[in-house]
Amino acid sequence: MKATTLFIRSLAVLSLGCFACAKPAARTEATSGIGTEHSADVVEKEPEVASEETPKEPKIAEPEKRPEKVLLTNAFIANQKLDLIIATDEAVADGRGLAVLAEHLNILGKALSTGIDTQIHFMTGEPLLLPDLAAAKIGFIDQAVGATDIIGLLNTLFANGFAEQYVDAAGELLAAPLAPRQGAKIEIVVFSTGNGEDEGNLAVNFDPNNQLKSSVSAVVATADSVASDECQIEAVSQEYIDLSKKFNGSVYDICSADFAKVFTALASDIAKRQLSFKLEQTPADPKAITVTVNQKLAPKEAWVYDGKNNTIAFLSTSSLVSGAKIEVKYEAKAP
């Protein structure tokens, strides 16, 4: 018994010794803080919180707004009435010769009477023989015309100051004066080798408010004119040139060697203006303009667009008859 008891006690002591040896190792592990959730040396990180601010999306530029197309239709009624006033100073008649002057004025009048209802007032100082013109459509004003007073004489004419001085080609008084007609377009042509010089005969003195709505052309002495035996220059006709520019007319050299060419070009210019119609706005694309006459499309070769004056001009009187309805359609240019 004693041996057994001794063995058991020895075994118990040995077990206690082993437990004592293992205890410090467990304590060391507990205090090292490695892998321990409750260690005081471990700082717990707070979870990152997503920012509440929503990231801004990049702005997309809005497309530029284009102005809407403005489609226009301008309507006109063809008016084939033309009142032509021709003022020729005496120096031109003497230099070029009455026969030469009459020949060319006859051609001018005939060209403008083809397809156009033309009435011509001649202020030439004396009557001329114009066989190709209808006698009832022409009248001569029995009034001498100086090289410096044409503008003043024109003012008197439009103030009805020469009503009692109209004569026919034979110099006989007309039964009734040739009065400007209601609704007729007015074209004035000045032939001179001189210049308006004093008050009342300057460019600013003629129709200052543009009530007549006329065009004024000048066949006069220019800075480039060359004098000759049949064309003696008294002065550069600057007032008449300025008058023409002011009233959208044509300017030609009175001393031109090719006098016939001057009259041909002048007739063409006047006819074109007679057949011109001013648009209300500027077209965005002149090539896209369409023109109809009495609801029928006018061919492109029958008319042109004049950008300088913003007009549609027909190229021949055969394209129109008086009273015809003209419609011009186009897209207006953006302001």
Side-chain angles (χ1 to χ4, degrees):
M1 289 292 294
K2 287 182 181 180
T4 304
T5 302
L6 181 63
F7 175 76
I8 291 170
R9 285 182 178 176
S10 297
L11 183 61
V13 172
L14 181 62
S15 299
L16 287 172
C18 291
F19 177 77
C21 290
K23 201 74 173 173
R27 190 178 293 117
T28 301
E29 184 181 349
T31 57
S32 68
I34 298 174
T36 306
E37 292 181 1
H38 305 290
S39 170
D41 295 333
V42 177
V43 179
E44 293 185 5
K45 270 190 174 183
E46 295 184 3
E48 292 184 3
V49 179
S51 173
E52 293 183 2
E53 184 179 353
T54 305
K56 294 181 179 179
E57 294 182 2
K59 284 188 177 181
I60 300 174
E62 293 184 3
E64 184 180 350
K65 291 184 178 179
R66 292 186 176 182
E68 293 183 2
K69 291 182 179 180
V70 179
L71 299 176
L72 296 179
T73 298
N74 294 169
F76 309 93
I77 300 296
N79 176 7
Q80 298 297 69
K81 289 197 293 187
L82 170 65
D83 277 2
L84 177 64
I85 291 87
I86 293 176
T88 305
D89 78 32
E90 294 171 314
V92 172
D94 293 341
R96 288 287 186 175
L98 285 177
V100 172
L101 185 61
E103 176 189 354
H104 289 88
L105 289 176
N106 188 67
I107 294 171
L108 175 66
K110 185 179 178 181
L112 293 175
S113 298
T114 304
I116 300 175
D117 179 9
T118 304
Q119 179 174 275
I120 309 177
H121 307 246
F122 289 98
M123 193 184 297
T124 56
E126 60 180 288
L128 302 172
L129 291 175
L130 306 171
D132 292 335
L133 304 186
K137 293 286 188 177
I138 63 174
F140 297 89
I141 299 165
D142 188 13
Q143 170 68 45
V145 183
T148 62
D149 58 4
I150 292 177
I151 292 174
L153 293 175
L154 290 172
N155 284 333
T156 302
L157 170 66
F158 286 106
N160 205 31
F162 295 130
E164 305 303 322
Q165 295 176 241
Y166 272 89
V167 299
D168 61 19
E172 300 292 331
L173 282 173
L174 294 181
L178 206 64
R181 295 171 296 174
Q182 184 75 23
K185 288 188 178 181
I186 299 174
E187 283 276 351
I188 301 168
V189 184
V190 173
F191 292 86
S192 181
T193 56
N195 188 41
E197 294 176 355
D198 54 4
E199 189 175 351
N201 286 291
L202 305 178
V204 295
N205 301 131
F206 180 73
D207 193 17
N209 297 318
N210 196 21
Q211 293 177 329
L212 296 173
K213 305 298 179 186
S214 60
S215 293
V216 182
S217 294
V219 184
V220 294
T222 69
D224 298 325
S225 294
V226 178
S228 64
D229 291 340
E230 58 185 22
C231 188
Q232 297 297 316
I233 301 171
E234 296 185 27
V236 171
S237 308
Q238 193 58 52
E239 292 299 324
Y240 304 140
I241 292 170
D242 290 346
L243 184 65
S244 179
K245 290 179 179 178
K246 179 180 177 182
F247 290 95
N248 300 314
S250 309
V251 177
Y252 291 99
D253 179 7
I254 190 67
C255 293
S256 172
D258 193 345
F259 211 37
K261 185 177 180 180
V262 168
F263 277 82
T264 301
L266 182 60
S268 176
D269 288 349
I270 294 174
K272 188 182 292 185
R273 285 192 289 271
Q274 174 67 19
L275 303 173
S276 294
F277 303 90
K278 191 168 184 64
L279 302 182
E280 293 176 2
Q281 295 190 38
T282 304
D285 181 7
K287 294 180 180 178
I289 296 172
T290 60
V291 179
T292 59
V293 178
N294 290 334
Q295 299 183 340
K296 291 183 179 180
L297 188 64
K300 291 280 188 180
E301 58 270 18
W303 55 272
V304 294
Y305 171 68
D306 178 359
K308 179 182 177 182
N309 298 304
N310 195 32
T311 59
I312 291 294
F314 285 82
L315 300 178
S316 73
T317 55
S318 61
S319 303
L320 296 177
V321 293
S322 196
K325 184 179 180 181
I326 302 155
E327 288 189 339
V328 182
K329 297 181 181 181
Y330 59 97
E331 178 190 336
K333 190 175 183 179

